[in-house]
Amino acid sequence: MSEQSIDFEIQARDGEARAGIMTTLRGVIETPVFMPVGTAGTVKGIRFEELESPELDARIILGNTYHLWLRPGIETIRACGGLHKFIGWERAMLTDSGGFQVWSLGALRKITEEGTEFRSHIDGAKCFLSPEISMEVQTALGAEIVMVFDECAPGEASQEEARRSMELTLRWGKRSKEAFDVAQVTKLRALESQGSDTETSAQVANLRYRQALFGIVQGASHLDLRRESLERTVEIGFDGYAMGGLSVGEEKPVMLEVIEEIAPRLPVDKPRYLMGVGTPEDLIEAVARGVDMFDCVLPTRNGRNGQAFTSQGRLNIKNGRYVNDQRPLDEACECSVCRRHSRAFIRHLYQSGEMLASILLTHHNLAFFLDTMRRVRQAIRSGQFAKFRREYTEQLSSGLG
Amino acid sequence: MSEQSIDFEIQARDGEARAGIMTTLRGVIETPVFMPVGTAGTVKGIRFEELESPELDARIILGNTYHLWLRPGIETIRACGGLHKFIGWERAMLTDSGGFQVWSLGALRKITEEGTEFRSHIDGAKCFLSPEISMEVQTALGAEIVMVFDECAPGEASQEEARRSMELTLRWGKRSKEAFDVAQVTKLRALESQGSDTETSAQVANLRYRQALFGIVQGASHLDLRRESLERTVEIGFDGYAMGGLSVGEEKPVMLEVIEEIAPRLPVDKPRYLMGVGTPEDLIEAVARGVDMFDCVLPTRNGRNGQAFTSQGRLNIKNGRYVNDQRPLDEACECSVCRRHSRAFIRHLYQSGEMLASILLTHHNLAFFLDTMRRVRQAIRSGQFAKFRREYTEQLSSGLG
């Protein structure tokens, strides 16, 4: 059916590091890209206007199938014309499949061949999610990029455990693709038959560019399983490829080893997405190994907990040393928070339980992550990535004055 | 000493309603004016950039002596160059004296002739606040407008109780004025003797325009006491006059009766400030009785609790009827929240405990209050206030569709 959902083009390389352009119906995304996480339809603590401002300029944000399916529920989102329209965000989005979130519930879930049974974290109600349901929900949400429904193994999973999980993810990956194709056609037909009012026509036009579906490579820390997962996932064929099951308890060198083994072997003409990673250091190291896309809750979650990411490492605003400190969070940062507010003030807000502490720390942290990626792209394009990587990493570990 | 702190000029009248200009060192304030409340140095849930935006354009905000004195403490604020510099707000401010906040502590406080002993709401530590201490703290904070340290009687106070409280407030008012004058001179001398670096010079220049001190008329619901308080407060002589102890438990007609009795009798050439009031209806009715300045936590506090003020009355976003409602909070509102987001989305955010619910509702509510005051000023200037008052009030009670 229909045209390709996203177009991806590599424009510059520097070693394994690559800079490219991902073109979607809802705008152009330069890669490597960091995607702020908007779990329940909001990137916590920040308005969309700020995300769109030239200072942050986030081109794509995440939404979570699991959370949105449970609340407000797919009927509300359908009634409001899809996720973009419901939340009021006109740029690109990616929805996670719910696989990881359900897996994180731990004892609250039961995994079978068919799918995963679990208790809602909201009201304890029994729920069931499968590749087919996830694809139906994600089609209704309407994000530019949809993820297959996968199963994640813990970082320290044994060979046997990791293989079982990887095989299940492969079978679920196939089922995801089949269900996705059916759901896309069904949605298009349903819209076409609804008549020709302007809104429906616009939605039909949108669907001609169908959504993109990304596969997920699993295999825990076992490189042989990771390679096998890679080959068999590529065999199924997706619009892009993600590495899942990293940063879930394994040691950092293990994570980097897996990325180094897998990323460069992923199809060169498709986006490579490292899920749920990571610190600024992690991003740089993963870019050096050929990764194009990232998402992580660190800038937002840690911001709410009083932590600022800075060019000289992390700063904990709770620390008493900042009580009269009139310097900005990061003296090298030019974001609106650093131009205006001192550590002393933000510490006061945090200690007073004021919402503005979270708002300001979230804004600065996102500005820092997004600016880092902007600098990464510039460095790659100018053939200076190795130098940038060295200097950036050195400065990060230099410590705050 | 020094020049006048604020210049106040009435430019238009329509019945008792009056529109004017209050000129301060930190900008011009058109009256009648609504002042958003920034208790602890932040208007809860909104960034200063938004308050300054043309959409809201708040010209003056409140700070609270009680809260800022306890945390972060006056030494931190002094070290950071005063309240404006500490929080990063360059427009005008007014600081409440702490009298009302200490009074609100109820059983936790003990009032003597000297001042008020109380336990901190933060750590239970024993504290003591008096007219002299409040003036010293407010001088250090450096707001354009300082309030005398007063004592508030409950709305239903007996004649005897209200007289005792009013007499104490009068004695404290005199002591406030004396201590204020001393503190202003002391601060100026201290700064002058510190040498001539640019920052100090700027502070000295600021102090040449000394801060303004407002007196507070008390007397609970007893009109005779209110009139006596008015006369004796005006006798002491202040830069502006407030009515305190209203909206503290008395019936609404009683409040309006006190305002009607007192406001028009306050000096015509000084700003008249109604403290802690009120709903949009209250603002209109008080303006009709000659009031120039207002502050109230309603737009921010009720916003955080899920309530939106609209041109057709209040809307409780928790209500199930809004679950799929794609209309904005207020169909007649042109604020950035109403232009972008639906009731359904904001309800979802609220139900999910997302910070963005508070952020959006706070923004809309402040936009609504500030826009109402803008319309009030226009109506007075064009001689249409009576018509505006009738139509606005009718629409407010028309109910939401």
Side-chain angles (χ1 to χ4, degrees), chain A residues 145-322:
Chain A
I145 302 176
V146 166
M147 300 304 298
V148 298
F149 189 72
D150 65 331
E151 209 255 331
C152 182
E156 70 284 7
S158 69
Q159 176 89 15
E160 191 186 6
E161 202 183 344
R163 170 165 289 282
R164 186 207 51 74
S165 169
M166 180 203 82
E167 296 279 358
L168 184 62
T169 288
L170 281 165
R171 291 193 297 276
W172 283 2
K174 256 180 231 160
R175 280 168 54 192
S176 290
K177 193 184 175 189
E178 286 161 13
F180 173 82
D181 287 340
V182 171
Q184 296 282 303
V185 175
T186 308
K187 187 176 175 185
L188 183 57
R189 297 272 155 76
L191 285 171
E192 284 173 338
S193 73
Q194 265 174 35
S196 59
D197 63 281
T198 322
E199 195 152 309
T200 311
S201 303
Q203 287 185 56
V204 170
N206 282 3
L207 263 185
R208 292 218 184 276
Y209 284 87
R210 67 172 174 78
Q211 295 168 274
L213 180 64
F214 279 24
I216 304 180
V217 173
Q218 290 285 1
S221 310
H222 305 280
L223 297 183
D224 53 341
L225 292 181
R226 284 278 176 181
R227 279 193 301 268
E228 184 179 338
S229 175
L230 182 163
E231 277 166 33
R232 293 168 62 190
T233 305
V234 172
E235 239 166 58
I236 302 172
F238 293 100
D239 302 307
Y241 296 90
M243 289 171 279
L246 288 171
S247 206
V248 289
E250 79 284 3
E251 299 288 325
K252 189 146 290 190
V254 174
M255 177 180 86
L256 291 176
E257 194 183 27
V258 171
I259 298 170
E260 188 155 339
E261 184 73 17
I262 299 306
R265 290 187 165 82
L266 286 167
V268 73
D269 59 339
K270 303 284 183 194
R272 300 161 175 173
Y273 166 27
L274 178 56
M275 302 182 81
V277 177
T279 65
E281 302 90 308
D282 293 341
L283 302 187
I284 303 294
E285 291 311 305
V287 165
R289 289 159 176 81
V291 175
D292 305 306
M293 299 169 67
F294 302 90
D295 82 278
C296 193
V297 295
L298 278 180
T300 42
R301 180 179 296 162
N302 290 19
R304 294 196 303 284
N305 293 324
Q307 193 173 68
F309 289 88
T310 84
S311 55
Q312 297 180 290
R314 302 195 204 179
L315 178 159
N316 188 332
I317 204 68
K318 284 165 269 191
N319 196 314
R321 67 197 285 200
Y322 302 126

Side-chain angles (χ1 to χ4, degrees), chain A residues 40-42 44 47 52 71-72 76 79 86-88 323-324 326 336 340-341 345 348-349 351-352 354 356 363, chain B residues 40-42 44 47-48 52 71-72 76 79 86-88 324 326 336 340-341 345 348-349 351-352 354 363:
Chain A
T42 158
K44 289 184 196 296
R47 289 181 64 174
E52 291 164 353
R71 187 172 53 197
T76 286
F86 175 62
I87 70 174
V323 68
N324 286 347
Q326 296 183 59
S336 57
R340 183 162 201 159
H341 297 298
F345 178 54
H348 159 66
L349 294 174
Q351 296 296 111
S352 306
E354 286 288 347
L356 192 62
H363 184 102
Chain B
T42 158
K44 290 184 195 297
R47 290 181 63 173
F48 291 138
E52 291 164 352
R71 187 171 55 197
T76 287
F86 175 63
I87 70 175
N324 287 346
Q326 296 180 60
S336 57
R340 183 161 201 160
H341 298 297
F345 178 53
H348 159 66
L349 294 173
Q351 297 297 108
S352 304
E354 287 287 348
H363 184 102

Side-chain angles (χ1 to χ4, degrees), chain B residues 111-116 128-133 149 168 172 175:
Chain B
I111 297 171
T112 64
E113 182 64 31
E114 181 54 23
T116 309
F128 182 77
L129 208 49
S130 67
E132 290 74 18
I133 298 173
F149 189 71
L168 184 62
W172 283 2
R175 280 168 56 190

Side-chain angles (χ1 to χ4, degrees), chain B residues 5 16 76 109 134 186 246 281 293 344 352 365 376 385 397:
Chain B
S5 48
E16 290 295 342
T76 287
R109 60 164 159 78
S134 178
T186 308
L246 289 171
E281 302 90 310
M293 301 169 65
S352 304
N365 283 347
V376 161
F385 180 73
S397 54

Side-chain angles (χ1 to χ4, degrees), chain B residues 56 61 64 76 79 81 86 98 101 116 121 123 127 149-151 154 184 192 209 229 247-248 254 355 369 384 394:
Chain B
L56 269 60
I61 64 173
N64 276 112
T76 287
F86 175 63
Q101 280 72 34
T116 309
H121 74 283
D123 60 6
C127 304
F149 189 71
D150 65 330
E151 210 253 332
Q184 296 282 303
E192 282 172 340
Y209 285 86
S229 174
S247 206
V248 291
V254 174
M355 217 190 306
F369 273 66
Q384 302 282 312
E394 260 174 36

Side-chain angles (χ1 to χ4, degrees), chain B residues 99-318:
Chain B
F100 180 75
Q101 280 72 34
V102 170
W103 175 77
S104 321
L105 293 173
L108 291 172
R109 60 164 159 78
K110 196 182 119 193
I111 297 171
T112 64
E113 182 64 31
E114 181 54 23
T116 309
E117 195 179 281
F118 62 97
R119 298 256 174 207
S120 154
H121 74 283
I122 299 169
D123 60 6
K126 205 180 266 188
C127 304
F128 182 77
L129 208 49
S130 67
E132 290 74 18
I133 298 173
S134 178
M135 291 308 115
E136 192 199 331
V137 173
Q138 290 188 78
T139 299
L141 293 174
E144 281 56 48
I145 301 175
V146 166
M147 301 303 299
V148 298
F149 189 71
D150 65 330
E151 210 253 332
C152 184
E156 70 282 7
S158 68
Q159 175 90 14
E160 191 187 7
E161 201 183 345
R163 170 165 289 281
R164 186 207 52 73
S165 169
M166 180 203 85
E167 296 279 358
L168 184 62
T169 288
L170 281 165
R171 290 192 299 275
W172 283 2
K174 255 180 232 161
R175 280 168 56 190
S176 290
K177 193 185 175 192
E178 286 161 13
F180 174 81
D181 286 341
V182 171
Q184 296 282 303
V185 174
T186 308
K187 188 177 176 184
L188 183 58
R189 298 270 154 78
L191 285 171
E192 282 172 340
S193 73
Q194 264 172 38
S196 60
D197 63 280
T198 323
E199 195 153 307
T200 311
S201 303
Q203 287 185 55
V204 171
N206 280 3
L207 263 186
R208 294 221 181 274
Y209 285 86
R210 67 174 175 77
Q211 297 169 273
L213 180 64
F214 279 25
I216 304 180
V217 173
Q218 290 285 1
S221 310
H222 304 280
L223 297 184
D224 52 343
L225 292 181
R226 286 275 175 185
R227 278 192 304 265
E228 184 179 338
S229 174
L230 183 162
E231 278 166 33
R232 292 169 61 189
T233 305
V234 172
E235 240 166 58
I236 301 172
F238 294 98
D239 301 308
Y241 295 90
M243 287 170 278
L246 289 171
S247 206
V248 291
E250 80 283 5
E251 298 288 324
K252 188 146 292 189
V254 174
M255 176 180 88
L256 291 177
E257 196 184 25
V258 171
I259 299 170
E260 190 157 336
E261 184 73 16
I262 299 305
R265 290 187 165 81
L266 286 167
V268 72
D269 59 339
K270 303 284 183 194
R272 301 162 175 174
Y273 166 26
L274 178 58
M275 304 182 79
V277 176
T279 65
E281 302 90 310
D282 293 341
L283 302 188
I284 302 296
E285 291 311 306
V287 165
R289 290 159 176 80
V291 175
D292 305 305
M293 301 169 65
F294 303 90
D295 81 279
C296 192
V297 294
L298 279 179
T300 43
R301 180 179 294 162
N302 290 20
R304 293 197 303 283
N305 292 325
Q307 192 173 68
F309 289 87
T310 84
S311 56
Q312 297 181 290
R314 302 194 205 181
L315 178 158
N316 188 332
I317 205 66
K318 285 167 267 191

